[in-house]
Amino acid sequence: MISNAKRFFLKSGLFLAFYAFVLIASAQISHGGRPLSLQVDTRISAPNFFVEMPPFDAQEARLRSEQERSMTRSLEFAHKFHVFLRPDNSGITFTSGNMNVWRVGIRSKDAYSLNILFSKFRIPRGAQVFVYNADQTEILGSYTHLNNSDLNLLPIQPILGDELIVEYQEPINASFRGEIEIGEVNHDFLGVLRATEPRDPTQPCHPNIICYPDLFEPGKGVVVLIINGTTFCTGVLVNNTAEDGTPYLLTATHCLNNNYDNCFLSNRQYDVVAGRIVAFFNYESPVCNRDIRGTVQMTLASADSVLISEQHDISLLRFKDNPPKEYQPYFLGWNASSAPPAPFYGLHHPNGGIKKVAVRNGNITLGSWTDRIRPFTPICNNLPQPGYVLARNAHWIVNAWDVAATEAGSSGSPIVDRNRRVVGTLTGGSSYCPPRAQGPDYYASLSQLWNVQGSLNNPNSLSHYLDPTGSGFRQLDGFNPYANAPITRSHNFNINDEIVQTLHNSVPMFATNNTFGYSELAEEFNAEAGTKIVGVFVSSSPTANIQNMDLRIRVYTGGNSPEHLVHEQPFTYSFQHVLGNSGNNFDESSRRMTHNVENYIQFDQPVNVSGRFYVSYVDMNNVASGFSALNVARSISSTTASTAWVRKSDGWIRSLSENMANPVNTSLLIAPYVVGNVTPPPPGEEETILNAYHSRTEQMIFVESNKDIAHWEVFYSNGQQMFRENANENRRLSKPSGHWARGVYIVRIRTVGGVSVARKILVM
């Protein structure tokens, strides 16, 4: 018989920590600057410069990781080496200017990424530490005396690849000699790379939240959490009866205590862990039918623990800062009654990925999580860990989902009732995408915790915080603190459009500096008077060499085309992630751009627009076939006007009339973020496009136009008329050609407006 421990699993994406929990208080904020050139000392090429990690059985490690994940959905992804490298026992030392320098290389064969821990870190003012890859294309640091801590420790995030270099610079006249030692090296054997950046779900059945318009507003209160740089979970902002915008966050307790790890429970540093949380707002695909990794630029870091219930697996935290209006957050209402109404929706970030939805049309029932929660680490202080037993009858049970499922990373996510009120947060379960089982899943019940007092030395109950007015209400609606100050995304695409990267002769049509001679690409909009652009969202196709580009976002005005440049802004694709000890003081890294991603570029100051305006992107470094926005797949016969523009050496032209052999009627996935009202541009007099082609697969001849067609006819190359037809003002027509001889044909097309054209096609 399969045990409960193997049938049910926690839904947190818990990673094997690179370091013990006691390291959490150590800030990892970097302070700018660059390391010395590699040419300053050429001994980095010496055989003994790199310290080689010993081999280990990576296949066995992967199998062990998979076995653990199948039971608890934890994810061990790194092998730890203890090394204790110091300037006196490894690397090279030299003097450069007024600095004494220590450099050491670390190599672990076939690692996807390497991560290190400074087991000793106490350096004087003026000293700097950098960590970088072997060609300095990825640099972390500098870390300075501001990173000193009482623990004398400093963990560093991963560097991609199987090599890294550590560089320590200390002033010759420093006030004291620094203490620095690399104690641990962690070899990523799964390719997780960084646990600092959200990613994709692992299963295909989860619909994007934007596919459910009624859930989009409450979904703005659901955030993906990265806890301590090692754990993916989901959290939800919740309203209180004072409706004062207190930034309360609900999530699962096991997300904070490493699956009820006995070592953690011996000291219960929940405030420390809460202080190491980064929440990503609006991490969701902008369209329904395509997974595009959402923006990572809207983050909030660091929280305080308010109420920790280990027995019920619910924790109430409070962000140290309020979400700014640019995030347009929503504080969800709640239902702490014993009979919430169906249907139910799970709003979650599976695998730390973009926001998804699971649907339960029937009722849910109260029950118990019947198994002990067993921590990932089976041994603590050389003693087995028996696991933690949760309170009985404290969970809502979803026996089976009607749509989708949950997965690792969904822990802490809310299940909401018909009125979009939170009724519980996810602990775990056994749901998968079809054809596997779609339940049961277990959600910690607000109703069962509501008036429980004495959770972890806190005499108050959950109702004390969420009902501060003493109303006695068991239900409350959601709250939008910025309802009177909306900032909206404006775009010319529909959320249900087919999204592509259009190619012509294998060349991306909307890539900067492509072989068609395009240097700049733009999307057209129309604004009411008084509109202000505060930023721009851009969804792009995978970009491999973006580090070599100098991308800019530009805003133009003009009645007939982009004419007057009114604003230029660097294209930023970095995100903040590793927080300090308080506030929003945390680090930045460049996100991975080798996926379909959306980035938000915040403007330095709002840009006033009125009437027609255009948002463009351009690469000033002229990297060949460089950066490309995604675009809508749309027939040229569509009544929706093309809003994309391309710039060549002779000026701007609409994409629809640019390539007469292959015109593109489309809109780019560019969305200005505006205060005010932006609409699609008013229709202008577009050039008439008439196109004809033969489909060998379908054995059909097609004609298309952006104007109504009145008449068309087909002639063989010898002049014989094969076919003629009145088109009855259609814009797309076809004719079977399977019985026609192979060869060259002439297609003549005439529009209602009297424009005629002849096209030569080849029937094969």
Side-chain angles (χ1 to χ4, degrees), residues 72 102 170 174 207 310 349 404 417 509 582 697 735 748 757 761:
T72 66
W102 172 51
E170 182 178 288
E310 293 176 348
H349 287 277
D417 65 13
M509 291 282 290
S582 64
T697 302
K735 178 68 177 177
R748 290 179 179 170
V757 71
I761 63 172

Side-chain angles (χ1 to χ4, degrees), residues 52-178:
E52 299 275 355
M53 298 298 102
F56 70 98
D57 192 334
Q59 178 63 25
E60 180 183 347
R62 283 190 288 269
L63 291 173
R64 185 178 66 251
S65 173
E66 182 63 30
Q67 181 181 16
E68 293 289 347
R69 194 181 348 171
S70 68
M71 296 173 62
T72 66
R73 283 301 170 91
S74 300
L75 179 58
E76 178 188 359
F77 73 104
H79 180 82
K80 185 182 297 294
F81 299 101
H82 297 280
V83 291
F84 308 112
L85 305 178
R86 303 181 303 274
D88 65 340
N89 65 15
S90 59
I92 58 175
T93 57
F94 58 94
T95 300
S96 177
N98 67 339
M99 291 285 185
N100 292 320
V101 182
W102 172 51
R103 272 181 176 163
V104 63
I106 296 171
R107 180 184 291 129
S108 188
K109 189 174 184 298
D110 296 330
Y112 288 97
S113 67
L114 294 176
N115 164 273
I116 64 172
L117 165 73
F118 287 106
S119 50
K120 295 180 180 179
F121 191 93
R122 184 172 177 269
I123 63 177
R125 183 182 296 270
Q128 299 182 100
V129 174
F130 296 92
V131 181
Y132 48 87
N133 59 0
D135 59 3
Q136 291 189 342
T137 57
E138 185 175 8
I139 299 171
L140 304 178
S142 64
Y143 305 108
T144 70
H145 73 284
L146 297 174
N147 298 95
N148 294 343
S149 70
D150 293 339
L151 296 175
N152 198 21
L153 301 166
L154 183 69
I156 303 295
Q157 72 179 73
I159 287 280
L160 305 186
D162 61 3
E163 293 181 348
L164 61 79
I165 296 172
V166 175
E167 178 178 312
Y168 173 53
Q169 304 175 15
E170 182 178 288
I172 293 174
N173 60 352
S175 58
F176 64 90
R177 188 170 183 178

Side-chain angles (χ1 to χ4, degrees), residues 32 34 37 39 63 197 216 230 256 280 336 339 439 561 637 639 651 661 670:
R34 289 189 62 84
S37 167
Q39 280 67 49
L63 291 173
E197 180 182 342
F216 190 64
T230 63
L256 307 176
F280 291 78
S561 68
S637 62
T639 57
I670 295 176

Side-chain angles (χ1 to χ4, degrees), residues 296-297 571-576 588-591 599-600:
V296 294
Q297 282 77 33
F571 182 103
T572 53
Y573 58 99
S574 60
F575 65 100
Q576 297 175 306
E588 283 202 5
S589 278
S590 297
R591 77 180 304 185
N599 284 285
Y600 174 63

Side-chain angles (χ1 to χ4, degrees), residues 327-539:
Y327 296 8
Q328 291 289 290
Y330 186 80
F331 293 77
L332 274 75
W334 33 260
N335 185 345
S337 71
S338 59
F344 297 93
Y345 304 93
L347 313 179
H348 60 122
H349 287 277
N351 198 42
I354 54 178
K355 198 173 299 169
K356 298 287 188 175
V357 177
V359 181
R360 166 69 174 175
N361 291 321
N363 290 323
I364 57 178
T365 58
L366 274 175
S368 301
W369 176 278
T370 56
D371 191 55
R372 294 174 182 267
I373 294 182
R374 302 184 186 279
F376 175 81
T377 307
I379 301 295
C380 176
N381 298 326
N382 297 318
L383 296 174
Q385 299 194 57
Y388 195 93
V389 179
L390 299 182
R392 296 190 61 80
N393 294 317
H395 282 75
W396 291 114
I397 302 175
V398 179
N399 287 312
W401 295 101
D402 295 288
V403 177
T406 63
E407 58 180 83
S410 301
S411 278
S413 64
I415 185 170
V416 301
D417 65 13
R418 180 178 62 204
N419 300 309
R420 309 331 186 225
R421 296 167 177 165
V422 178
V423 301
T425 57
L426 183 64
T427 291
S430 57
S431 68
Y432 288 89
C433 287
R436 298 181 65 179
Q438 293 174 272
D441 275 343
Y442 290 76
Y443 285 82
S445 169
L446 293 189
S447 67
Q448 299 304 98
L449 177 62
W450 191 247
N451 287 317
V452 173
Q453 296 179 332
S455 296
L456 200 63
N457 302 319
N458 185 336
N460 299 316
S461 63
L462 183 62
S463 63
H464 172 82
Y465 298 101
L466 299 189
D467 183 18
T469 65
S471 69
F473 294 159
R474 282 275 187 153
Q475 299 183 45
L476 183 70
D477 287 335
F479 173 62
N480 180 354
Y482 302 111
N484 295 324
I487 307 177
T488 57
R489 297 166 56 118
S490 300
H491 48 77
N492 298 325
F493 56 87
N494 186 288
I495 63 170
N496 294 308
D497 280 339
E498 180 185 356
I499 304 303
V500 298
Q501 182 188 31
T502 295
L503 305 178
H504 181 56
N505 294 332
S506 301
V507 176
M509 291 282 290
F510 298 101
T512 53
N513 309 304
N514 61 24
T515 55
F516 304 124
Y518 302 166
S519 60
E520 191 170 355
L521 300 303
E523 182 69 7
E524 180 182 352
F525 302 91
N526 187 67
E528 292 183 354
T531 298
K532 295 181 179 181
I533 309 174
V534 299
V536 172
F537 295 90
V538 179
S539 296

Side-chain angles (χ1 to χ4, degrees), residues 577-593:
H577 57 93
V578 181
L579 59 150
N581 292 325
S582 64
N584 283 335
N585 194 11
F586 49 107
D587 207 355
E588 283 202 5
S589 278
S590 297
R591 77 180 304 185
R592 282 167 278 169
M593 295 291 288

